Amino acid sequence: MEEQLTENSEVINNIEQTLINKKNRKSYFFFKRFIDLSIAIIALLITIPVFLCISIAYMFGENKGPVFFKQLRVGKDGKEFYMYKFRSMIINAEQILRENKGLYQKYLANNYKLEPDEDPRITNLGRFLRKTSLDELPQLLNVIKGEMSLVGPRPVIGEELQEYAERLPDFLSVKPGVTGYWQICGRSEVGYPERAHLEFYYIDNQGIKMDSNVILKTIILVVSRKGAY
């Protein structure tokens, strides 16, 4: 009888703890969305002069052409969306990369990136934007639209999903972020599979404290320009 009561008590405690965890997670995601919207709107208003100056630069020389670059990325629950950036490459850069079979294979083998000095697609303005991380500013629009969060796993292209196959449902269970744990742990200097492990660490430990830490360290890294290219 006593053993049965103990088991029942444990079951009740587990149910209560589960309900508390769900409530805490719901509160966290509500607060996270509020912070995302608040910071994204304020940041956009503050950086309007930056948007204007960069836009003017796209009216001349090798930069002439569209200001923004958009690319299909995989978001929460596997839904695709267009992620925005300031264009750092020549027009039709993706097509040119795929047509160069050797370079494309090297791109795939090198964790879906090329070294800046060997990538013929990047313009001089683009190198500056990447080095200063200014090319990421338009993603604030993705945050306002609800497609991204300020902090989360980095949004990937469809080909990269294979790198997360071990826990793909977990990876797709959260919104991708403008910045994240991977960025503060090395960014472009850290490739797969280490990158996937870092993203999973964030997913398993996400919370207000983790997000605040990521944002603070991201600011430090942007100022120091470490790991950006």
Side-chain angles (χ1 to χ4, degrees), residues 207-223:
I208 296 173
K209 183 177 180 180
M210 169 70 86
D211 289 351
S212 300
N213 183 51
V214 169
I215 290 174
L216 177 61
K217 289 189 176 180
T218 297
I219 294 173
I220 295 173
L221 288 174
V222 168
V223 172

Side-chain angles (χ1 to χ4, degrees), residues 98-109:
R98 289 178 181 276
E99 289 177 350
N100 188 326
K101 302 300 182 182
L103 197 62
Y104 185 62
Q105 289 303 315
K106 188 171 184 178
Y107 165 79
L108 294 177

Side-chain angles (χ1 to χ4, degrees), residues 32 149-154 175-181 183 199 202:
K32 185 181 178 82
S149 178
L150 291 175
V151 181
R154 190 63 180 155
K175 285 183 184 180
V178 176
T179 186
Y181 193 66
Q183 279 92 330
E199 302 287 34
Y202 171 79

